[in-house]
Structure formats: C-alpha cells, structure tokens
Amino acid sequence: MRKKWWKILAVTIICAVIINGLLGPVPRLFILHESIRNVYFHVPMWSAMIVMYLISVIYSIKYLNTGKQEYDLMAIEAVNTGITFCFFGLATGMLWANITWGEPWPNDPKLNGSAIATLMYLAYLVLRNALEEEQKRAKISAVYNIFAFPIIIVLLYILPKMTDSLHPGSGGNATFGQLQMSNELRPTFYAAMIGWPMIAFWICSLRYRVRLLERKQQEIES
C-alpha cells in the first residue's frame, strides 16, 4: 500500500481534473469561450512530455556513466511515453487552434517547432531500430538523446519568444496567468500540471517493467 499511494493520488487528481474540466465553471472569455477548458489538457500533456524526455536524458547519462542496460531501457521507455503524450498534446492543440485561430495548423513558430521536435524523437526511435548491436545502439541513442533535449527546449520555449507567435507567452503575447487564468481555473490547472506527469511516469514505469520481463525471458531462452 505504501508503494501505491502516489498512484491512487494520481488517479484521484486526474479524475477530479476531468470532471471539473468538463463540467466545472469557467470564466467568460473573448474568442476562447468554453474552449478554455482545453487548458486543463493541452498544456499539462506537453508538461508530461517534457518530464518524460528529461527523465530519458537523465537515464541516458546514467547509462553512459555505468553501462547498465537497465538505464538504457528506462531511457527508451521514457521517450516512448513522452511521444505518446506529445501526440495527445498535438491533438488537443490542433483542436484548440481550429476553434480559436480558424485552422488546426497555422504558420506559427511554436507549432512548427513542435513538429520538428516530434520528428526528432521519432528519428530517435528509428535510429534505435536501425542498429542491431545492443551496446552500440544504446550508446549512440544515449548521445543523440542528450543533444536532442536542449534543442527541443530551444524550439518550444526560446525561439517562439524571439519572434511573432500566436501562442500566449510567446512573441510578446501575455501569458494565461497574466490574462485569463482566473481563480476559477487555477486549482484545476495546477492539479492537472501535477496529475498528468504522474500518470505519465506510472505508464513509463509499467512499460519499463514489461521490458525487463521480456529481457529476462530472452536470456532464459538463449
């Protein structure tokens, strides 16, 4: 039970976020209207993605320092989980953009940067599948992963602030916290920012354990 408390907490938080996000009161905002509810899902999905990519980088560094295969497995499963939340973030973002900006994918620096970032991590998965030798695959993937992470931070959070962008908090635009983030939204939003990364980590840990079991089975069969 002691090991499960955070999982129960994560499920409880997300259930509350979904219910309040869909049914709870929201402020009347120009253009956004009811679509502001998407802030409980779109932004936390990207946050969960970044957390997973950061965990992956940490374990890639650990692998390069120790050579332990378990660290490489954790790194790849963190990326797999991060990409899943990346797709959820893209889907919710396109839905929101279509409602507020009139098209699902306008020519926006942050959107284009997110597309490049997604392709970079898909390339990471392709790279791993292209290399058959286990240690070589792990080392090259770890190095790639370490360099990819700071690049996506630049693409998603630095470059959009240096040019014109439709996104809040980018291109000189005010952030949600400065404009629309009223007291009605804050509790659920902050809960979502905690809950979704927790769910992502839970999924990652499950995938990691499955990968360990598969590895042990392969060792027994060989």
Side-chain angles (χ1 to χ4, degrees):
M1 188 65 182
R2 292 179 180 177
K3 295 181 179 180
K4 296 180 180 179
W5 69 268
W6 67 273
K7 300 174 184 177
I8 297 173
L9 178 62
V11 172
T12 302
I13 290 174
I14 292 304
C15 287
V17 166
I18 292 174
I19 293 172
N20 197 53
L22 297 177
L23 303 177
V26 292
R28 296 179 178 271
L29 300 173
F30 179 66
I31 298 178
L32 294 174
H33 303 295
E34 289 289 318
S35 73
I36 188 61
R37 297 179 186 276
N38 201 17
V39 75
Y40 302 139
F41 305 97
H42 173 60
V43 179
M45 292 296 172
W46 283 107
S47 297
M49 176 198 75
I50 292 296
V51 169
M52 287 297 100
Y53 288 167
L54 177 59
I55 290 174
S56 179
V57 169
I58 291 171
Y59 277 91
S60 290
I61 294 172
K62 285 186 173 182
Y63 172 78
L64 291 177
N65 287 334
T66 64
K68 290 184 178 180
Q69 196 65 30
E70 291 81 2
Y71 292 154
D72 177 59
L73 295 179
M74 186 63 178
I76 180 59
E77 293 309 330
V79 169
N80 283 329
T81 307
I83 286 179
T84 300
F85 278 84
C86 171
F87 287 138
F88 284 133
L90 288 174
T92 53
M94 291 172 67
L95 175 64
W96 208 356
N98 194 48
I99 294 171
T100 57
W101 300 332
E103 54 182 316
W105 200 283
N107 186 21
D108 181 81
K110 196 157 190 174
L111 288 173
N112 296 336
S114 66
I116 296 172
T118 303
L119 291 174
M120 286 177 60
Y121 275 91
L122 289 175
Y124 169 83
L125 299 180
V126 172
L127 175 65
R128 288 190 65 94
N129 292 328
L131 300 171
E132 295 183 0
E133 204 278 312
E134 189 174 23
Q135 290 187 348
K136 181 179 179 180
R137 177 178 64 229
K139 288 181 180 180
I140 294 177
S141 300
V143 172
Y144 180 101
N145 196 16
I146 292 168
F147 281 98
F149 184 75
I151 293 175
I152 69 166
I153 297 299
V154 172
L155 290 172
L156 296 179
Y157 299 105
I158 297 178
L159 288 182
K161 293 182 182 296
M162 300 172 64
T163 184
D164 292 334
S165 176
L166 296 170
H167 269 79
S170 299
N173 297 331
T175 64
F176 275 115
Q178 293 171 317
L179 290 179
Q180 294 100 347
M181 192 61 72
S182 68
N183 290 331
E184 292 174 290
L185 299 177
R186 291 182 192 277
T188 304
F189 175 73
Y190 293 151
M193 291 293 286
I194 296 171
W196 286 116
M198 290 175 69
I199 292 293
F201 183 76
W202 189 3
I203 294 172
C204 177
S205 63
L206 289 174
R207 293 182 61 96
Y208 170 69
R209 281 190 275 175
V210 169
R211 186 65 73 95
L212 284 179
L213 291 174
E214 291 175 348
R215 184 185 171 199
K216 289 180 180 178
Q217 184 176 4
Q218 290 176 356
E219 290 175 352
I220 292 173
E221 292 176 352
S222 60

